[in-house]
Amino acid sequence: MIVAGIGCRREITADDLEKVVRRALGMFDLPADRLDAVATESDKATDPAFAEVSRRLSAELVACTVDELEEVGGQVLTRSNRVLEAKGVPSIAEASALVAAGRNARLLGARVATMLATCAIARGDGR
């Protein structure tokens, strides 16, 4: 299972989300049709842009609780002080990718960032 974990600022558009996901997939030479899921923190997952980007990419939308993100916090490669202060976890993008990828999840590399969003790609055996 291949998952794109996303962290972003408020008022994000589906175009902005799609851009960061495709950029992250490109870093690992993965075509978008290999993507199984898009994941983010549960509060962000309610933003209509996430439903739209999931539809565009034909990927399941996975909402991760802060508790789930915290459980994998020790496995992330990068940390955001802003996210740590706001949510109490070191990363939304990397942690969401790990949670949604499930058993034997591993990040393919550090997150990529645009001005509005971050995206990390993880591979795992599923939940």
Side-chain angles (χ1 to χ4, degrees), residues 12-29:
I12 192 91
T13 68
D15 289 342
D16 292 326
L17 292 176
E18 185 175 3
K19 178 195 275 185
V20 75
V21 170
R22 289 186 182 277
R23 183 173 170 193
L25 289 168
M27 295 283 294
F28 304 105
D29 295 320

Side-chain angles (χ1 to χ4, degrees), residues 1 72 75 97-106 122-127:
M1 170 172 223
V72 298
Q75 298 173 48
L98 288 166
V99 168
R103 294 178 313 281
N104 299 312
R106 66 176 178 82
R123 181 173 290 188
D125 297 334
R127 294 175 123 185

Side-chain angles (χ1 to χ4, degrees), residues 14-63:
D15 289 342
D16 292 326
L17 292 176
E18 185 175 3
K19 178 195 275 185
V20 75
V21 170
R22 289 186 182 277
R23 183 173 170 193
L25 289 168
M27 295 283 294
F28 304 105
D29 295 320
L30 290 169
D33 64 358
R34 295 271 317 274
L35 188 65
D36 296 299
V38 171
T40 193
E41 191 264 329
S42 56
D43 286 343
K44 291 187 181 293
T46 62
D47 187 312
F50 279 92
E52 175 61 18
V53 80
S54 295
R55 184 194 64 75
R56 289 181 188 181
L57 297 170
S58 299
E60 174 187 6
L61 176 58
V62 178

Side-chain angles (χ1 to χ4, degrees), residues 68-77 79 90-91 94-95 98 107:
E68 290 173 317
L69 300 177
E70 191 172 29
E71 287 176 23
V72 298
Q75 298 173 48
V76 300
L77 301 175
R79 297 181 173 276
S91 168
E94 292 178 5
L98 288 166
L107 291 168

